[in-house]
Amino acid sequence: MWTFDNEFKPLWTYRGNPGHYPWPYDFNGDGKEEFMCGFDLLAADGTKVWSLQNVAGNEHADCLQIGDVNGDGQPEIIFGGPTDARGGVTIATDRNGKEIWRNADMKESQQVVLGKFRKDLPGLQVFGLDRVDRGRVTPRDALFLIGSDGKTIWKETANTNGWGTAIHKVINWDGKHTAMVLAHKRGRAIMPKLYDGKGKVISTFPTEGNAMISDLTGEGREQIVMFDQAKAHVYANGPCNLSKSPSAGKPVPQPKALYNFTRYGSGEITAAEIKAESSGK
């Protein structure tokens, strides 16, 4: 991994396994961002601080999620993609790399997103995707939800149309900051769907493709953009004036997550976002 300043002058390099989506975050509050690089935490100068333990050495982190999962006021780290002797697992650690819990209920835990998907449950929940069977004969995957204590809340009856599902968090589709998940690329004739924290389908979309989530108008409500190489389709839950500019022609600050773009979306949730998702305001 190479790190550059804003004039593209190299600062430091690190040789390791960065996974699909490394994530910068100031864990110790010193004003400098550390770097969660796959299973390794790097200091601001690139020095390795710690590594996730008890995972297969030839595996990698598909995605990382950072936030106060258990309500103790400190950020935890959720790893999607690790493998141990039992198969694909979802792991939560504290900021020092100490394991808090390990969920081994999935065949191959892959993409995970973090949020207040269930207001009736304590802490935050992990919404994820399990690649149940990568085979050509019986390809299957399944959505799942894990609680702040690491226990499985529910798991979807396996989707039998493929194992290539991608998921994205949507946080204000309903105007109440309810955390939901968009699942698409589910295979065959299964169209993209928006799910709530109980696995209930909230909306179904008529076009397939890649997906991005954004507040295009600056009014505080997110839209879903489904796109391919030819067209982009914009979906909103209610009236949406796309001719309205949120920035008066000035560049719009980009979400941190857009430094990278893969189906394995790393991310973080702030205290303010947790409050909004919990209260609906």
Side-chain angles (χ1 to χ4, degrees):
M1 186 176 76
W2 293 262
T3 307
F4 302 87
D5 68 11
N6 61 351
E7 296 180 346
F8 294 100
K9 296 177 181 178
L11 299 175
W12 48 263
T13 62
Y14 178 74
R15 182 176 294 277
N17 188 336
H20 286 291
Y21 214 120
W23 194 258
Y25 190 89
D26 183 6
F27 286 98
N28 57 17
D30 66 353
K32 299 178 181 179
E33 288 184 319
E34 291 74 53
F35 224 103
M36 203 65 236
C37 182
F39 297 144
D40 301 334
L41 179 69
L42 309 181
D45 62 0
T47 304
K48 185 166 73 171
V49 180
W50 55 261
S51 295
L52 182 66
Q53 300 299 303
N54 301 318
V55 293
N58 62 342
E59 288 295 337
H60 58 269
D62 288 316
C63 57
L64 307 157
Q65 293 289 322
I66 299 171
D68 185 3
V69 177
N70 54 21
D72 65 354
Q74 299 295 327
E76 282 79 46
I77 307 165
I78 305 295
F79 294 85
T83 300
D84 65 12
R86 295 171 291 180
V89 294
T90 310
I91 299 175
T93 73
D94 67 14
R95 62 180 181 173
N96 299 310
K98 180 181 179 181
E99 186 171 315
I100 300 172
W101 52 256
R102 178 176 298 221
N103 182 296
D105 291 345
M106 313 307 157
K107 178 71 175 179
E108 187 183 347
S109 175
Q110 284 275 315
Q111 304 153 57
V112 293
V113 292
L114 186 61
K116 188 68 174 179
F117 295 100
R118 293 281 297 271
K119 293 183 173 66
D120 59 326
L121 298 176
L124 302 181
Q125 294 79 47
V126 179
F127 203 126
L129 176 76
D130 181 15
R131 285 185 173 168
V132 179
D133 188 342
R134 288 176 177 255
R136 294 185 177 182
V137 178
T138 57
R140 293 175 293 161
D141 61 23
L143 304 175
F144 64 83
L145 192 73
I146 296 174
S148 60
D149 59 359
K151 296 180 180 179
T152 301
I153 298 172
W154 57 260
K155 182 177 180 181
E156 178 187 47
T157 301
N159 162 42
T160 59
N161 294 278
W163 53 263
T165 298
I167 63 173
H168 303 273
K169 183 180 177 183
V170 182
I171 60 172
N172 198 20
W173 179 256
D174 60 356
K176 300 178 181 178
H177 292 274
T178 304
M180 302 181 191
V181 161
L182 174 73
H184 64 111
K185 294 189 174 181
R186 309 219 71 183
R188 299 179 186 173
I190 303 298
M191 302 310 293
K193 300 179 188 295
L194 189 63
Y195 297 83
D196 68 9
K198 295 183 178 181
K200 178 183 176 181
V201 175
I202 301 301
S203 298
T204 301
F205 303 92
T207 54
E208 184 59 279
N210 292 308
M212 294 191 77
I213 317 299
S214 180
D215 176 8
L216 297 174
T217 66
E219 296 175 312
R221 296 278 289 269
E222 288 186 324
Q223 292 80 46
I224 294 173
V225 183
M226 301 297 302
F227 65 96
D228 56 25
Q229 294 186 6
K231 293 182 179 180
H233 301 265
V234 180
Y235 298 98
N237 184 19
C240 177
N241 183 4
L242 293 178
S243 65
K244 181 178 180 179
S245 171
S247 60
K250 298 179 181 179
V252 178
Q254 295 302 301
K256 184 175 175 179
L258 291 187
Y259 97 90
N260 191 3
F261 184 72
T262 80
R263 68 168 61 223
Y264 306 101
S266 291
E268 65 186 62
I269 179 170
T270 66
E273 290 168 338
I274 293 174
K275 182 179 179 180
E277 292 181 21
S278 300
S279 65
K281 300 178 181 179

